[in-house]
Amino acid sequence: MEIGQGQYPMEKLIRQGAEANIYLGKWFGHPAIFKRRLPKAYRQPNIDAELRRRRTSREASFMAKARGVGVPTPQIYFVDPGNGEIIMQHLSGIRVKDAIHQSIKEGEEEIWSRLGTLTAKLHDNSIVHGDLTTSNLILTETEELVLFDFGLSFHSDRVEDYAVDVHLLKEALTSAHSTLAEEALELVIKAYSQVMGKRRTEILTSKVQEIERRGRYARPD
Amino acid sequence: MIMVPLVNHHRENNKRHLSERKNSRALQICLGIESTAHTFGVSVVSHKEGKKLGSILSDVKNVYKAPPGSGIHPREASHHHAQVATEVLQQALQVARINIKEVNAIAYSEGPGLGPCLRVGAVVARALSSRYQKPLIPVHHGVAHIELGAMLTGLSDPVVLLVSGGHTMINAHSGGRWRIFGETLDLTIGQLVDQFGREAGHSSPCGQRIERLAQDSHEYISLPYSVKGNDVSFSGLLTAAKNLLHDGRSLSDLCYSMQETAFDMLAEVTERALAFTEKQEVLLVGGVAANNRLKEILSQMCLARKAKFASVPIGYSGDCGAQIAWTGLVGALSGASVPIERSKVHPSWRLDRVNIPWRN
């Protein structure tokens, strides 16, 4: 079967993400998400081809791995790294980022706790997500918290890499939800430690602080 | 921080000058001093009440040149600044046709930067503030790059890519501060370009030379591309490029490949910030904003996303007094000043620690 871009007449562009376009269409009669990393005209062509191929195959493989360790991710239907395309399960729900902005307050604490649990499950299985933000999480209609966008994921056993994961989440929370970032992060860490244990969590948080101190001009004179 | 009602400040001093101009009661004039790194600059800017734009009346600078193959020596640079300070100051006032007594506030770059260099600017600013009884306004150098760029381009709420020797950050304004959306985890883009350039025997700043060499090649040599979430890392890229240079690979191929890799990384994280914040504008500021290839890449990215792109005009992309004078002026208008005895310099000062009351 030949799979290429734009062969599904029912598709509708629903989001222009930073590195991919998201279309809603049908896959063997079921609603499906078509994620396409389209070529970027601004990029050097060799870099562009390599990034699209690598991240597409990475994303598909880590989505499956995450699911295997109990982290809900969309089911994958089809992968085509050469064309930068993944076809996956469509989930009805709301992005956590939008849920927070629309200040749906009830259940907000629960979201942060569950995010902490999901992150810990990944790290406990040597998986680094690489891009933990509130726009990569969906709260489904069945109240399931689903994580996606594994294009920057990788395997690692280094605390440093887990700490970078948490640091990125912290950065995303502070820049997008500055007022509630601190409280949210506390809940994330609390849930994280319930999976990883107190000692490992302490090592992680001190590593996160170390990374922050490494930031430019972060150390006060 | 002490609040000073600047609008009514020093009316006495200004009487003669202000009576010469029609409807200029609310005209504010600020003198700004820049001395964070290689540049010693002084500028005079003015602003009329009710207007969005300011006028840069003068912007004079004298840049310390490092010997070929080496970077800025902080002590040497500070000696340079001390030697040229008087002349640059006099010229800035002359070009602006302003008497120092007509100025409403004295702004200086408080940091971040090289301590010895910062102190020269601070000393000059304190002396002027004390001698002429003008409020002293400390300014964050990075914020100043952003604010001058925003004023000159007219963008109101942009995602900002701040690229220089001291900063490589993606910023967006939210909750009273310029938040750091992403940044470099190690070297700045300016350091990457300069350190590679110096390895090839040039002297800092090397940006222009690297850009020209890159134009001679379209031969891409694969180099490490490192984006971590919204952050970038350039150290692996620098090491790989240096090694390839010592292996005898063509310098222009390497300049081309290094620029393409580094700029594509920056465009990617900027695009991520744009998609995430759902803002409609991108502003490019800082010394590396002078690079045409970077501007081309970012404007293509913005075009595809239907976002507006603007870059700070080339004359004001590098460090200059105007950035300090303008930011000092808007800071002064919202009441920020520091008593001389409590004024200091901050070689290390993070951009998201600075309150931005004028954008609320």
Side-chain angles (χ1 to χ4, degrees):
Chain A
M1 183 170 41
E2 272 262 317
I3 302 292
Q5 285 157 11
Q7 290 185 1
Y8 313 93
M10 298 295 288
E11 289 166 37
K12 188 180 131 214
L13 178 68
I14 53 172
R15 181 170 296 280
Q16 192 188 3
E19 59 158 359
N21 282 1
I22 310 295
Y23 305 84
L24 180 61
K26 288 221 160 138
W27 181 251
F28 291 102
H30 295 286
I33 290 293
F34 294 68
K35 176 168 180 173
R36 295 205 179 108
R37 289 181 163 84
L38 299 175
K40 291 206 180 282
Y42 71 76
R43 261 189 208 148
Q44 206 284 336
N46 305 47
I47 299 177
D48 188 58
E50 172 60 15
L51 286 182
R52 289 169 55 228
R53 189 197 56 74
R54 188 169 66 203
R55 288 182 180 169
T56 304
S57 73
R58 216 167 252 221
E59 173 163 23
S61 114
F62 277 93
M63 261 162 84
K65 281 174 185 157
R67 175 177 275 270
V69 301
V71 173
T73 63
Q75 187 85 50
I76 299 162
Y77 299 148
F78 185 84
V79 188
D80 182 355
N83 281 317
E85 181 174 56
I86 300 180
I87 304 172
M88 64 185 104
Q89 180 187 10
H90 171 255
L91 298 160
S92 323
I94 181 167
R95 284 193 310 170
V96 167
K97 183 186 160 196
D98 299 328
I100 303 299
H101 279 162
Q102 290 161 25
S103 59
I104 300 169
K105 282 288 169 200
E106 67 267 30
E108 198 182 290
E109 294 188 355
E110 172 74 16
I111 292 177
W112 302 128
S113 296
R114 271 156 72 184
L115 175 56
T117 311
L118 297 188
T119 310
K121 276 185 187 169
L122 291 176
H123 292 178
D124 200 24
N125 289 282
S126 308
I127 298 169
V128 179
H129 182 272
D131 191 14
L132 288 175
T133 72
T134 46
S135 44
N136 291 339
L137 281 165
I138 279 186
L139 189 62
T140 66
E141 280 169 358
T142 55
E143 299 270 298
E144 196 175 30
L145 194 62
V146 178
L147 184 60
F148 50 97
D149 258 357
F150 285 78
L152 296 176
S153 302
F154 58 99
H155 273 301
S156 171
D157 288 318
R158 297 166 64 219
V159 187
E160 164 89 20
D161 293 321
Y162 306 151
V164 170
D165 233 9
V166 174
H167 165 68
L168 291 174
L169 173 64
K170 198 170 167 181
E171 246 182 6
L173 286 174
T174 318
S175 56
H177 318 280
S178 51
T179 48
L180 51 85
E182 210 170 304
E183 204 182 322
L185 206 80
E186 239 168 68
L187 290 165
V188 168
I189 294 297
K190 200 173 147 197
Y192 188 95
S193 85
Q194 273 158 14
V195 176
M196 293 291 261
K198 206 174 152 198
R199 218 182 81 80
R200 285 168 85 192
T201 307
E202 276 169 9
I203 295 171
L204 176 101
T205 49
S206 71
K207 200 76 187 175
V208 172
Q209 280 167 9
E210 188 193 315
I211 288 167
E212 277 159 12
R213 281 197 301 272
R214 247 185 262 156
R216 294 188 71 81
Y217 311 126
R219 258 168 304 185
D221 6 273
Chain B
M1 188 167 285
I2 287 185
M3 309 294 268
V4 174
L6 196 88
V7 179
N8 299 317
H9 219 90
H10 306 297
R11 188 64 48 84
E12 295 290 302
N13 287 338
N14 284 332
K15 255 181 193 158
R16 185 190 54 81
H17 171 69
L18 295 177
S19 62
E20 284 167 14
R21 302 189 189 194
K22 269 186 187 169
N23 302 327
S24 55
R25 259 182 331 140
L27 185 82
Q28 297 290 328
I29 300 169
C30 183
L31 181 142
I33 301 169
E34 157 60 25
S35 72
T36 47
H38 47 45
T39 299
F40 187 86
V42 179
S43 161
V44 180
V45 304
S46 68
H47 178 259
K48 238 182 207 175
E49 196 176 286
K51 289 263 167 72
K52 201 175 166 188
L53 297 184
S55 309
I56 299 171
L57 306 178
S58 68
D59 186 44
V60 181
K61 62 172 98 168
N62 191 323
V63 180
Y64 158 80
K65 291 257 183 310
S70 62
I72 304 171
H73 191 302
R75 188 189 61 216
E76 298 299 322
S78 72
H79 286 173
H80 162 269
H81 294 353
Q83 274 162 14
V84 302
T86 319
E87 196 194 324
V88 173
L89 174 65
Q90 273 173 351
Q91 266 190 40
L93 289 164
Q94 266 168 25
V95 174
R97 306 180 71 165
I98 290 281
N99 186 305
I100 185 82
K101 289 179 181 157
E102 301 168 275
V103 168
N104 300 91
I106 307 287
Y108 71 103
S109 47
E110 186 183 351
L114 305 169
C117 298
L118 287 169
R119 280 188 278 276
V120 175
V123 163
V124 175
R126 285 186 198 114
L128 293 174
S129 165
S130 161
R131 171 72 177 77
Y132 297 100
Q133 292 297 301
K134 309 288 180 186
L136 186 63
I137 320 291
V139 169
H140 184 287
H141 177 85
V143 167
H145 269 302
I146 298 177
E147 291 296 343
L148 181 68
M151 189 271 278
L152 291 172
T153 57
L155 296 188
S156 56
D157 185 24
V159 164
V160 181
L161 177 60
L162 166 56
V163 279
S164 63
H167 286 94
T168 293
M169 280 182 173
I170 300 93
N171 304 101
H173 186 266
S174 150
R177 296 199 178 173
W178 282 104
R179 305 284 166 182
I180 300 171
F181 192 85
E183 63 184 314
T184 176
L185 296 170
D186 39 56
L187 302 171
T188 63
I189 181 77
Q191 287 174 315
L192 168 71
V193 169
D194 276 354
Q195 289 184 25
F196 181 73
R198 295 209 296 265
E199 197 76 7
H202 301 302
S203 64
S204 300
C206 312
Q208 261 188 355
R209 202 174 285 260
I210 301 275
E211 184 177 3
R212 244 180 282 133
L213 283 163
Q215 283 162 0
D216 298 338
S217 164
H218 288 284
E219 194 63 46
Y220 182 73
I221 301 170
S222 180
L223 290 169
Y225 182 103
S226 180
V227 166
K228 300 181 182 182
N230 302 316
D231 293 337
V232 294
S233 158
F234 292 127
S235 57
L237 175 52
L238 176 64
T239 308
K242 276 183 179 176
N243 288 343
L244 288 163
L245 184 68
H246 295 310
D247 288 350
R249 299 297 286 267
S250 139
L251 180 60
S252 54
D253 287 353
L254 284 171
C255 289
Y256 166 73
S257 306
M258 184 177 75
Q259 278 203 169
E260 291 299 311
T261 311
F263 294 168
D264 281 356
M265 285 161 60
L266 292 174
E268 178 178 358
V269 287
T270 308
E271 186 170 14
R272 290 171 59 93
L274 199 57
F276 191 77
T277 58
E278 288 164 22
K279 292 187 194 270
Q280 306 298 320
E281 302 168 335
V282 171
L283 171 63
L284 175 65
V285 295
V288 187
N291 188 296
N292 287 313
R293 179 62 187 141
L294 179 58
K295 277 187 263 199
E296 187 183 21
I297 288 175
L298 288 169
S299 70
Q300 273 181 309
M301 183 273 282
C302 288
L303 188 69
R305 299 197 68 85
K306 299 186 179 70
K308 197 171 161 191
F309 171 73
S311 172
V312 64
I314 198 156
Y316 297 105
S317 58
D319 295 351
C320 61
Q323 66 186 100
I324 306 300
W326 170 248
T327 312
L329 198 151
V330 288
L333 287 173
S334 47
S337 83
V338 64
I340 292 177
E341 61 275 18
R342 280 176 43 210
S343 66
K344 17 182 171 180
V345 297
H346 285 299
S348 181
W349 188 15
R350 234 169 128 68
L351 194 140
D352 61 354
R353 297 278 183 275
V354 185
N355 286 323
I356 312 291
W358 57 87
R359 277 190 179 265
N360 281 344

